[in-house]
Amino acid sequence: MQAIVNFINLLFQPWSYFLITVFGFYLLIRYREQWTEPKFALKAFGGVMIILGLAMFNKHFREISTLPDNVPIFIMVFSVGFFTWLSFRQAVVNDRRLAQGQPPVEKETSDKKVYVWPDLVYIEFIATIVFGAALLIWSLCLHAPLEEAATPAWTPNPSKAPWYFLGLQEMLVYYDPWLAGVVFPTLIIVGLMAIPYIDKNPKGSGYYTFNERKLAIIPVLFGFLILWVTLIFLGTFLRGPGWNFFGPFAEWDPHKVLVLNNVNISEYFWVKILGIGLPSNPIVRELPGFAMVGFYFVGLPPLLTQKIPLLQSLLEKLGVARYAVFLFLALSMAALPIKMVLRWTLNLKYIIAIPEVFFNI
């Protein structure tokens, strides 16, 4: 039994956890025809509930997962899973109908009228009663996660942001606050606003589909599931005292100390490769980092476009301007997981580090 526990804890190390989630996302897209079948979904849900029930026998997992702060995370994970399945199920059904020359399911009810009273108001009234009862039961069964007044004599360890900011707090580990707290959230908002202008495909309006809106669905779904939901899960259940990583069945030891020698690209280039000291001029010192960032955003797009047929077709479809914006946003989104993997595997801190002017990437 202990060997199984150790193996599961190993699987939930940061690098393996991230690889599993990315591979799971690929399976989500690739085999949507199979896992959206109701029978398969019910079996998968039953298997997850059995595994979760067995996991509750572990003292540490039970204590962490039943904290009043963490119960909403479980609800969020299951809610996201259910509605992802439901939307993909409706998309798969419509894609099958469209392939057979039939209209989508929504077409059958699009001409029907629904009266605000009593139809809509009645449903909303019942939903309000059910939701209010659920909140009442929740408040009776779980204590409010309130603590004593803040005092400099005692700091919680780990000190975590509210669950909806845990993804942002995790980003702060890998980037400076101006990037993680300002630039990336701004790019997220701008990227979401830009989707209707980049992907002007008129199909898929008013009905669920995947095949007709892949360009819009895949980036948004990857950003939401992999770069937001999984980061919230990681920050809630796998980040322990000292903001260290712990497996789901590992005891949170507040005395755990990891000896990490985080280095910058400039140190790798000048010290480890060339064997000389760092130049005193910060611009000269960070030239390798500037070259890497410049190649990533300027040199890599033409190379990817030349080698990947899908990107070539996108260029022809979108045009140069819209394609350039799309690729810039896609590469910006990919920069976060790339930086995370580099930190976990190579202890890379910054690609460009100019603390003299607080410019660190």
Side-chain angles (χ1 to χ4, degrees):
M1 181 61 70
Q2 187 61 38
I4 297 176
V5 170
N6 293 337
F7 176 72
I8 294 176
N9 287 334
L10 179 63
L11 284 181
F12 279 85
Q13 291 300 305
W15 59 270
S16 55
Y17 169 80
F18 181 74
L19 290 178
I20 290 172
T21 56
V22 172
F23 183 66
F25 181 79
Y26 166 76
L27 296 179
L28 182 83
I29 301 299
R30 177 67 177 81
Y31 296 102
R32 59 187 181 277
E33 294 274 352
Q34 288 75 27
W35 65 267
T36 53
E37 292 296 329
K39 292 182 179 180
F40 182 92
L42 286 174
K43 293 178 181 178
F45 177 75
V48 170
M49 295 306 296
I50 292 174
I51 294 173
L52 185 61
L54 294 175
M56 286 296 178
F57 286 98
N58 181 271
K59 178 177 179 293
H60 169 75
F61 183 85
R62 184 172 62 253
E63 290 177 352
I64 298 300
S65 59
T66 56
L67 287 175
D69 273 343
N70 296 343
V71 170
I73 309 301
F74 268 113
I75 298 176
M76 179 199 69
V77 170
F78 280 100
S79 299
V80 169
F82 171 74
F83 286 107
T84 301
W85 173 84
L86 181 62
S87 59
F88 265 90
R89 175 61 184 171
Q90 293 173 308
V92 166
V93 171
N94 279 340
D95 288 339
R96 290 173 180 170
R97 292 172 62 93
L98 292 171
Q100 297 171 359
Q102 301 177 3
V105 175
E106 289 81 359
K107 180 64 177 177
E108 299 177 357
T109 58
S110 61
D111 297 330
K112 294 183 180 180
K113 293 182 178 180
V114 177
Y115 293 100
V116 174
W117 175 265
D119 299 329
L120 181 61
V121 175
Y122 182 77
I123 295 174
E124 291 177 344
F125 178 69
I126 297 298
T128 302
I129 294 177
V130 173
F131 189 71
L135 288 179
L136 180 62
I137 296 172
W138 188 339
S139 64
L140 293 174
C141 296
L142 293 177
H143 297 291
L146 301 176
E147 299 182 6
E148 61 272 11
T151 169
W154 183 81
T155 301
N157 187 15
S159 183
K160 295 185 178 182
W163 66 268
Y164 41 85
F165 282 143
L166 278 180
L168 203 61
Q169 186 174 2
E170 184 65 25
M171 290 168 60
L172 288 169
V173 177
Y174 312 98
Y175 288 98
D176 260 17
W178 69 274
L179 269 174
V182 179
V183 175
F184 280 161
T186 302
L187 285 177
I188 292 172
I189 296 172
V190 171
L192 291 173
M193 294 169 59
I195 288 176
Y197 301 96
I198 296 175
D199 181 16
K200 297 193 296 183
N201 182 3
K203 297 181 179 180
S205 179
Y207 58 92
Y208 286 89
T209 179
F210 179 84
N211 292 337
E212 294 182 347
R213 298 306 300 269
K214 293 179 181 180
L215 180 61
I217 294 174
I218 293 178
V220 172
L221 201 62
F222 182 85
F224 177 68
L225 292 181
I226 304 301
L227 300 184
W228 197 249
V229 174
T230 58
L231 287 185
I232 291 175
F233 185 89
L234 184 149
T236 301
F237 298 104
L238 304 183
R239 285 289 195 180
W243 208 244
N244 291 315
F245 280 105
F246 293 85
F249 301 134
E251 183 179 356
W252 283 14
D253 182 7
H255 305 291
K256 178 181 179 180
V257 177
L258 294 179
V259 181
L260 296 177
N261 185 24
N262 294 325
V263 296
N264 302 322
I265 284 293
S266 57
E267 297 175 53
Y268 271 113
F269 181 78
W270 298 106
V271 179
K272 295 182 178 293
I273 297 178
L274 297 184
I276 60 178
L278 292 174
S280 58
N281 188 308
I283 302 299
V284 176
R285 183 187 69 215
E286 300 305 322
L287 278 179
F290 281 113
M292 291 184 65
V293 174
F295 173 77
Y296 183 75
F297 283 106
V298 179
L300 189 60
L303 185 62
L304 292 176
T305 305
Q306 183 181 5
K307 298 296 182 180
I308 302 177
L310 176 61
L311 293 182
Q312 295 176 8
S313 62
L314 277 179
L315 176 59
E316 297 174 358
K317 178 181 177 182
L318 300 179
V320 176
R322 286 190 294 152
Y323 177 76
V325 173
F326 165 77
L327 213 54
F328 171 76
L329 292 173
L331 290 175
S332 299
M333 181 173 64
L336 175 59
I338 291 174
K339 186 70 180 295
M340 292 166 63
V341 172
L342 290 175
R343 173 67 66 88
W344 296 333
T345 56
L346 301 178
N347 292 334
L348 178 66
K349 186 177 183 181
Y350 292 126
I351 298 174
I352 299 175
I354 309 180
E356 295 87 347
V357 292
F358 304 100
F359 185 79
N360 304 302
I361 298 178

